[in-house]
């Protein structure tokens, strides 16, 4: 966690962008946007932005509207937004704070004060992110994160090596998710991911089973001590459970609703190291996609690369 924190500075006037960037670039990584559209694009391209400094008066889309749109995606709800503006009336400030800004800085601003306030907010951001990683949970879907999965996979792989027991792993991908996001919007995309995570979590029962968000629209299901028949059954149930949520997907070639493709493998630790188990499951996932998506393809270790 020693990475530089990222600040997005949004202001239509280049002199403000330059001043703020000079003030902060020694301590932080600075991204710039000169209007609302650009700001939203930067944010979509850099989900790890830690804080946004947002001008209010900008042509076309003003800062209030930008904030409204930012807050539409659950992925962004934790990113603190600070208004920095010459609209200095208490009513303006009230409006900004009510919309969800965490702070309000008046222009002309005092560089030292800006810096100190940002330091305070960014300290909280760092602590929250650290906590998320430490507890092993994904902030959006509230299921395990990739780090927790990596640890669990290694632990179960060791157990399989000791006991010679079977280990099943499924890789899961939301079908045509990019098209979903592009057409239905990121806010709907977040809901689809949350519902998918919840449906997946609902299909496992034993304490050692784990559902995790692997990244983006990819999930994993780790099923220790489970044979291929049992694991396939669980995967089939997960696949059906997600489609039965009936989240309209107007741009999927697989169904009218949000669906997933699942590729899985059952093997023992002697067949492959943990990284290869993921790769093998991924090959079956690829096959599930090739064969039309919204389905489960399960195999054994015979696909060794
Ligand atoms: Mg302005």
């Amino acid at each position: 966690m020693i990475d530089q924190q990222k600040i997005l500075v949004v202001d239509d006037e280049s002199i403000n962008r330059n001043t703020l960037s000079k003030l902060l670039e020694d301590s932080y990584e600075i991204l710039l946007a000169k209007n609302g559209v650009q700001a939203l694009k930067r944010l979509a391209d850099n989900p790890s932005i830690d804080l946004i400094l947002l001008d209010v008066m900008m042509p076309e889309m003003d800062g209030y509207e930008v904030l409204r749109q930012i807050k539409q995606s659950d992925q962004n709800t934790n990113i603190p937004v600070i208004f920095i503006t010459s609209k200095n009336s208490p009513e303006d400030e009230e409006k900004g704070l009510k919309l969800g800004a965490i702070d309000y800085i008046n222009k002309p601003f005092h560089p030292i004060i800006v810096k100190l306030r940002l330091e305070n907010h960014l300290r909280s951001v760092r602590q929250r992110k650290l906590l998320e990683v430490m507890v092993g949970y994904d902030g959006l879907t509230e299921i395990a994160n990739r780090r927790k999965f990596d640890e669990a996979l290694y632990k179960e792989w060791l157990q399989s090596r000791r006991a010679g027991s079977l280990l099943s792993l499924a890789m899961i991908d939301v079908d045509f998710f990019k098209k979903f996001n592009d057409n239905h919007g990121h806010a709907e995309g977040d809901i689809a991911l949350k519902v998918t995570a919840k449906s997946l979590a609902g299909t496992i029962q034993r304490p050692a089973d784990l559902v995790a968000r692997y990244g983006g629209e990819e999930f994993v299901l780790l099923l220790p001590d489970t044979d291929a028949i049992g694991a396939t059954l669980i995967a089939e149930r997960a696949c059906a459970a997600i489609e039965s949520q009936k989240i309209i997907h107007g741009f999927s070639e697989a169904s009218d609703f949000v669906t997933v493709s699942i590729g899985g493998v059952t093997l023992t630790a002697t067949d492959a190291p943990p990284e290869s188990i993921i790769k093998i499951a991924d090959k079956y996932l690829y096959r599930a996609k090739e064969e039309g998506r919204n389905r489960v393809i399960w195999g054994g270790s015979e696909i060794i690369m």
Side-chain angles (χ1 to χ4, degrees):
M1 294 294 284
I2 46 162
D3 290 357
Q4 261 197 337
Q5 289 181 291
K6 273 188 210 165
I7 300 179
L8 173 62
V9 174
V10 189
D11 201 305
D12 58 321
E13 286 170 62
S14 62
I15 180 156
N16 290 332
R17 291 197 302 274
N18 289 339
T19 312
L20 288 165
S21 171
K22 283 220 177 66
L23 174 69
L24 302 165
E25 69 189 3
D26 287 343
S27 317
Y28 309 105
E29 185 181 336
I30 307 297
L31 292 121
L32 298 171
K34 62 181 176 186
N35 56 45
V37 173
Q38 223 176 56
L40 295 169
K41 174 146 193 352
R42 293 268 185 283
L43 190 56
D45 294 342
N46 301 277
S48 64
I49 283 174
D50 293 289
L51 185 143
I52 301 170
L53 263 183
L54 183 57
D55 181 26
V56 172
M57 286 192 290
M58 295 185 289
E60 283 146 44
M61 195 191 296
D62 68 13
Y64 299 131
E65 180 54 29
V66 177
L67 178 58
R68 231 177 254 127
Q69 295 209 20
I70 289 172
K71 294 289 175 191
Q72 265 172 23
S73 164
D74 276 4
Q75 197 102 270
N76 300 332
T77 47
N78 286 325
I79 302 178
V81 175
I82 300 178
F83 278 122
I84 180 157
T85 173
S86 48
K87 283 176 80 98
N88 293 345
S89 77
E91 291 76 22
D92 290 323
E93 189 164 342
E94 186 185 332
K95 184 173 177 188
L97 295 174
K98 272 190 177 153
L99 278 171
I102 198 160
D103 205 350
Y104 203 92
I105 298 174
N106 292 328
K107 281 181 191 164
F109 54 81
H110 304 284
I112 303 295
I113 304 283
V114 171
K115 231 181 158 174
L116 288 171
R117 284 212 197 166
L118 286 186
E119 266 169 32
N120 282 337
H121 292 301
L122 284 164
R123 194 175 309 119
S124 310
V125 171
R126 190 180 287 279
Q127 283 163 356
R128 181 180 50 72
K129 285 195 172 175
L130 190 61
L131 194 67
E132 245 179 52
V133 173
M134 280 165 59
V135 297
Y137 281 87
D138 172 60
L140 176 70
T141 58
E142 294 176 1
I143 59 173
N145 62 18
R146 184 170 175 163
R147 182 187 137 142
K148 177 136 179 148
F149 163 72
D150 285 339
E151 284 170 6
L153 175 61
Y154 186 61
K155 189 177 138 232
E156 296 302 343
W157 182 83
L158 289 176
Q159 172 61 21
S160 165
R161 199 175 62 174
R162 271 195 302 272
S165 51
L166 290 169
L167 188 57
S168 289
L169 174 75
M171 298 288 292
I172 301 151
D173 201 38
V174 180
D175 295 323
F176 299 104
F177 187 67
K178 191 181 177 314
K179 282 191 180 170
F180 183 93
N181 257 345
D182 289 348
N183 292 287
H184 295 293
H186 286 273
E188 288 299 313
D190 288 348
I191 292 171
L193 291 176
K194 283 203 241 184
V195 171
T196 300
K198 209 170 165 205
S199 306
L200 289 174
T203 56
I204 57 168
Q205 278 150 3
R206 299 171 313 166
D209 296 346
L210 181 79
V211 173
R213 187 174 180 201
Y214 195 67
E217 71 272 25
E218 278 193 313
F219 297 88
V220 282
L221 201 51
L222 179 64
L223 305 163
D225 217 359
T226 308
D227 64 16
I229 294 169
T232 308
L233 202 66
I234 293 172
E236 296 278 6
R237 249 186 240 144
C239 203
I242 290 158
E243 191 173 24
S244 74
Q245 299 298 314
K246 297 198 184 321
I247 304 172
I248 304 283
H249 191 330
F251 304 86
S252 168
E253 288 157 36
S255 167
D256 293 335
F257 307 112
V258 168
T259 55
V260 293
S261 298
I262 303 181
V265 62
T266 300
L267 38 62
T268 61
T270 48
D271 293 321
E275 320 79 72
S276 301
I277 300 177
I278 296 174
K279 279 191 194 147
I280 296 167
D282 214 30
K283 295 218 164 175
Y284 286 108
L285 170 60
Y286 183 75
R287 222 183 254 182
K289 288 185 197 179
E290 268 193 335
E291 292 184 18
R293 295 182 167 87
N294 189 21
R295 70 193 60 221
V296 177
I297 303 284
W298 207 273
S301 59
E302 62 275 5
I303 277 197
I304 302 273
M305 292 130 282

